Amino acid sequence: MLMSDKLEKMKILGIESSCDETAASVVEDGRVLLSNVVHTQIDIHAQYGGVVPEVAARSHIEVINPVINKALTDANLTWDDIDAIAVTYAPGLIGSLMVGALAARTLAVVKNKPLYPIHHVEGHVYANFLNETPPEFPLLALITSGNHTQLVLFHGHGDYELLGQTQDDAVGEAFDKVAKIIGLPYPGGPSIAKAALEGNPKAYALPKAKMPGKYDFSFSGLKTAALRAVQREVGVDFTFPSHELAARLNDVQRADFAASFQRVAVETLVDKAEKAFHEYSPKSVVIAGGVAANLELRRQLSERLPIEIDYAPVNLCTDNAAMIATLAYYQAQKIDPVDPYELEVIPSLSMTKTAWA
Ligand code: KG4
Ligand code: ZN
């Protein structure tokens, strides 16, 4: 059955397991959220200060079936009600991706459902479409996750161009690394955002990278500058081990570093988004990916861009399967599902190589 025959009340089960969240969700017509189950492994990885790929894959295996079943029961649905399955196939940790993809492929065969492979980063953008009034094209998307920092211009569904991206670290990675240096728990983004509430964002002067590419980003210099500033503050030189710095900071200094870093990281993102907005005059602007949960980013963006931005709920910015099911709804209208026997995961795949329309 070509999915274009069934576009009304189309219920798609999304599955996501690319990193450290095992998630399943049912979305109707790409806009009504019927269930959204997210099992996070944060507690498991926090003791290591970051995601351990082998541990992540094993944890996905343990919970994938209960998570999928819960998505169906929370939505009060049975398999008969599901019209299609969507799964993240790229990019991500290979072992993690494989668990979700194998589950989805097996279910597509056993339950006889069409299967849509979804690009995780493109999926993040669709958290903003899970809305009665989805954003309009042309749409400027600022994508800011643990592994990606990109400005992408969407002309339509599946039709987009990359304006610029980070040339080194992703902004989320910088949040995570700076949090580690100043002694805040993993994941660093929410920890820094929380600590920053108590801090002075002008306490420490940190630099903004100047990039040759108009819309390119760089965050590794900011991360190193934060490290040097902390070393200077506690009176040690650059050879001092970074993991011993946190113990020498007091809470005021920690909050001031969090606020100062957050201000500059967010300003760097907003500077480029503002420039792109004026060059391309999009009809809507969205932010996507884990760092889009950051309230200071939302505040600065709304202050500086002369357009109303309808932000996605914070829980749909970090990894989830609702965004995967939402994007699949739009794909189902334009392209055929894949053969479940053939689907392979791709750990590293740029979103802009996957434009599908
Ligand atoms: O999109 P995501 O959940 O996973 C990836 O696809 O990478 O993004 C995770 C990233 C992490 O770096 C995390 O620290 C960051 O998003 N993050 C935040 C916030 N919540 C999550 N960064 C800043 N402020 C937040 N409130
Ligand atoms: Zn993500």
Side-chain angles (χ1 to χ4, degrees):
M1 176 183 61
L2 189 66
M3 277 289 94
S4 48
D5 298 338
K6 167 94 175 67
L7 294 175
E8 286 292 306
K9 301 275 174 210
M10 183 177 182
K11 295 180 187 62
I12 301 186
L13 171 77
I15 299 174
E16 154 68 43
S17 70
S18 64
C19 189
D20 59 343
E21 265 89 27
T22 321
S25 163
V26 183
V27 175
E28 185 177 272
D29 292 346
R31 61 178 69 89
V32 185
L33 184 63
L34 299 182
S35 65
N36 185 25
V37 182
V38 180
H39 176 270
T40 179
Q41 306 173 5
I42 283 176
D43 290 350
I44 305 173
H45 300 293
Q47 56 186 307
Y48 306 106
V51 178
V52 183
E54 282 299 315
V55 176
R58 208 172 324 136
S59 171
H60 285 304
I61 291 171
E62 281 166 14
V63 301
I64 189 104
N65 282 336
V67 164
I68 292 171
N69 286 335
K70 185 161 165 39
L72 285 173
T73 43
D74 283 3
N76 212 6
L77 298 172
T78 68
W79 277 105
D80 286 346
D81 304 312
I82 298 297
D83 298 300
I85 298 173
V87 66
T88 302
Y89 78 107
L93 301 170
I94 185 163
S96 293
L97 284 167
M98 281 174 68
V99 176
L102 264 176
R105 290 170 59 188
T106 309
L107 289 164
V109 172
V110 173
K111 308 289 184 190
N112 193 24
K113 307 288 178 190
L115 177 64
Y116 290 91
I118 299 294
H119 191 281
H120 177 84
V121 182
E122 189 183 356
H124 269 300
V125 174
Y126 278 73
N128 295 284
F129 282 80
L130 193 43
N131 197 320
E132 276 305 324
T133 47
E136 287 181 87
F137 298 112
L139 173 157
L140 178 67
L142 172 63
I143 302 173
T144 57
S145 74
N147 292 303
H148 295 82
T149 309
Q150 303 181 321
L151 272 166
V152 180
L153 186 66
F154 281 70
H155 303 287
H157 296 293
D159 175 13
Y160 39 79
E161 60 179 304
L162 179 68
L163 304 181
Q165 64 184 331
T166 184
Q167 300 299 304
D168 42 57
D169 292 353
V171 61
E173 200 178 336
F175 267 91
D176 293 337
K177 285 182 181 158
V178 170
K180 215 171 185 176
I181 293 167
I182 62 176
L184 294 171
Y186 172 87
S191 306
I192 286 196
K194 188 164 168 234
L197 293 173
E198 311 291 325
N200 171 7
K202 297 264 170 75
Y204 301 99
L206 298 169
K208 277 194 225 168
K210 293 202 175 43
M211 300 300 289
K214 209 169 172 188
Y215 299 116
D216 284 342
F217 301 93
S218 163
F219 287 97
S220 79
L222 173 59
K223 183 191 68 193
T224 308
L227 172 63
R228 297 285 175 259
V230 175
Q231 287 167 330
R232 225 175 300 123
E233 180 70 13
V234 302
V236 297
D237 75 9
F238 69 94
T239 59
F240 189 84
S242 61
H243 63 272
E244 289 177 27
L245 286 167
R248 301 191 172 207
L249 289 175
N250 63 39
D251 285 349
V252 174
Q253 291 168 316
R254 193 167 284 122
D256 285 350
F257 271 115
S260 302
F261 164 79
Q262 177 176 259
R263 178 178 69 85
V264 175
V266 166
E267 264 178 33
T268 305
L269 296 170
V270 178
D271 286 351
K272 300 274 163 129
E274 188 182 28
K275 206 182 272 180
F277 179 83
H278 290 299
E279 180 166 347
Y280 295 99
S281 306
K283 276 206 173 135
S284 47
V285 174
V286 303
I287 52 174
V291 183
N294 189 280
L295 300 184
E296 177 61 14
L297 174 59
R298 294 171 178 219
R299 193 190 65 73
Q300 283 196 27
L301 211 54
S302 293
E303 196 176 278
R304 288 176 48 191
L305 264 54
I307 188 173
E308 189 88 12
I309 304 177
D310 191 4
Y311 297 105
V314 164
N315 70 321
L316 294 180
C317 291
T318 45
D319 288 351
N320 66 85
M323 66 189 197
I324 304 302
T326 301
L327 171 51
Y329 172 74
Y330 292 98
Q331 283 206 348
Q333 296 173 53
K334 286 196 173 177
I335 56 175
D336 288 330
V338 292
D339 179 345
Y341 289 100
E342 300 278 311
L343 178 64
E344 302 272 0
V345 302
I346 308 179
S348 175
L349 177 68
S350 162
M351 167 181 158
T352 39
K353 293 219 171 70
T354 65
W356 43 270

